[in-house]
Amino acid sequence: MRWSDLFIPTLREDPADAEVASHRLLVRAGYIRQLTAGVYSLLPLAQRARLKVINIIREEMNRIGGQEFLLPAIHPAEIWKESGRWEVMGENMFRLRDRKGADMALGMTHEEVFTSIARHTINSYRQLPQVWYQIQTKFRDEARPKSGLLRVREFTMKDAYTFDVDRAGLDKSFQDQYDAYCRIFTRCGLKYTAVEASSGAMGGSQSTEFMVRTEAGEDRIAVCPECGYAANVEKATSRLAEYQDEEDADKPEKFPTPGMRTIEDLTTFPGGASADRQIKTLVYALNDRLTLVLMRGDHELNETKLADASGALNIRPAHPEEIREALGAGAGSLGAVGVTRASHPEIDRIIADSALRSRRNMTTGANQDDFHLRGVSVERDIQVDHWASLRTVKAGEGCPECEGALDVFKAVEVGHIFKLGTKYSESLGARVLQADGSEVPIVMGSYGIGVERVMTAAVELYNDEAGIVWPESIAPFHVVITPVNIKDAELMSVAERIYAELEAAGIEALLDDRDERAGVKFNDADLIGVPFRITVGKKIKDGRVELFTRASRTSEDVQIASIIESLRAKLEATSE
RNA sequence: CGGGGCGUGGCUCAGUCCGGUAGAGCACUCGGUUUGGGACCGAGGGGUCGUUGGUUCGAAUCCAAUCGCCCCGACCA
């Protein structure tokens, strides 16, 4: 391709509204333009990179027996109502009405549609397993699109679905996908971590996210460098030091704490307690039923863990009025001692974090403003309905699986694989007959990759002050040829010859035939991030050109006759 | 949804406080010089100042409403 024939609108200055590196660079280097919040046009360079990612995904999906489909993006409300997700998806789903007034939606994922195909066409265990996938546009009306292509409202997803007759089949299908995902991300040049994750609105028993570490990411993950334990903080647990609490009195003692409202206040109050000796009492509305959530004073609740532990779909902190009405005190003086369904009918249940198990001699609110209780023995004095891991792990805490210490860092989710089980096959009625004549719901898995996110994560991972540095496997071109002055006929004929030879050799080359000064061409080539550059300049007098490596920004002189060979060797070296 | 910021040629921004007929740099067009890391000189073209309404002799500027975008938080497979 000749640069003069390609639309590459590079910008000399950074776009004003781009914060994260990938957003700034993709706009500046002429890859994307925004149409509206969270909706981007992909320009030719971006589309080339996107197609590289797609081809890698397609090859690896086909390799594990995947069959490619293309499903509609417009869905009737009915199937979403059948699965129950018409409600669950809430405002995140783009909804519309057709001319007859029928409710429709733009697809945010395709469990419903794939399952509806399966239920009509798969009747026997003999037709299983099936591995179905598609690469298609998804629509999600995100409350807050941000960070360029990292969080958008319209994007390409590879979504795959597996159908098996039993759990063992699902385990194998899941493992196949897991292995394929590892190959895909490795081939795309990403450094990634596979982590245990919460399944959220997808449902199902187990899920793994594929995360790329970057400050631009919105998820946080905990990783053990010793044993490889890795989990999203929405799921991660950690090992805490054991407490040997002193024996306390035989019942809690109420004491006045005028004006003390926070955990911090009580740590300095005479007769108070250190944060790890306090019980923090939070009030949440879970599906509009009030629940007391108990945490150790120095611990932070993770709301996703609370949602997972309680099974609640709608979860929010209770309003101050609700709290006072239910417990008779304001936030800051709350406690769970003596709270039962009989004594406090507004409180549906008490959920406690497992770090409070067996703790004694603790301090907590007395449900009376300006009073607290000390000498509280959790299991003696509080009727906990449900114990769960609710705490957000912190860096430096012990790994739950070995003696190591956890790291916690930000990451972006590029893929997520779920063992769905029978949630959708049951709600949508996709069943098969087994060999013994009994009927069972199909056991399903669901597996997604955000295509543009893969590209964007690569840009986050690989860039420098001059621009993007693409991994060779997904770069829009392998090499750019830069004749330093197009008016020099001799120089141009060398450049043209090298270009023709590269094309013939199957190496994707971009010939910068623009009538620009060398500096402009060099800067643009660095910006768009093509892995190699062949500079054709005055050294052709000695039969040489320069081979410049974008990643290291170093160049070496190469004989014109052996340039193809030299470049091929470098391409092969980096693609390992 | 709560908080903050911003809407002025294609891009980056000044002008808004204190009302007086719209500017710079880059980009673009033409001519000339230049030519290995975003050249220079000269001459040009291009703007309903987000939108609507109001105040005023007069509004980019003041007031109100509204739309859009960005950031933080909430939310989020």
Side-chain angles (χ1 to χ4, degrees), chain A residues 263-274:
Chain A
I263 300 287
E264 176 67 23
D265 288 346
L266 269 180
T267 61
T268 53
F269 182 76
S274 60

Side-chain angles (χ1 to χ4, degrees), chain A residues 182-287:
Chain A
C182 292
R183 287 192 293 268
I184 288 165
F185 298 127
T186 300
R187 287 183 61 188
C188 288
L190 296 181
K191 287 181 275 204
Y192 65 93
T193 308
V195 309
E196 293 175 28
S198 162
S199 299
M202 293 295 289
S205 59
Q206 183 190 340
S207 84
T208 300
E209 287 172 325
F210 290 80
M211 310 295 277
V212 173
R213 179 175 186 168
T214 160
E215 276 302 303
E218 300 189 275
D219 283 290
R220 296 197 314 129
I221 64 176
V223 173
C224 174
E226 303 293 324
C227 70
Y229 170 82
N232 195 302
V233 293
E234 295 172 351
K235 186 87 177 178
T237 59
S238 63
R239 180 171 36 77
L240 295 174
E242 293 281 328
Y243 274 83
Q244 295 299 324
D245 293 322
E246 299 164 32
E247 203 56 48
D248 47 16
D250 47 2
K251 64 178 175 57
E253 174 198 356
K254 192 196 285 191
F255 64 109
T257 50
M260 300 297 110
R261 287 288 178 273
T262 66
I263 300 287
E264 176 67 23
D265 288 346
L266 269 180
T267 61
T268 53
F269 182 76
S274 60
D276 61 347
R277 306 204 60 84
Q278 297 185 45
I279 303 167
K280 175 156 50 180
T281 307
L282 305 167
V283 188
Y284 268 80
L286 304 180
N287 294 341

Side-chain angles (χ1 to χ4, degrees), chain A residues 279 356 359-360 362 376-382 384 387:
Chain A
I279 303 167
L356 290 173
R359 293 297 306 277
R360 290 186 300 219
M362 302 288 281
V376 174
S377 185
V378 176
E379 293 186 52
R380 180 193 66 196
D381 299 323
I382 299 176
V384 173
W387 292 92

Side-chain angles (χ1 to χ4, degrees), chain A residues 143-154:
Chain A
R144 185 148 104 80
K146 58 180 288 199
S147 306
L149 290 188
L150 283 180
R151 185 171 193 70
V152 291
R153 299 196 293 169
E154 174 180 337

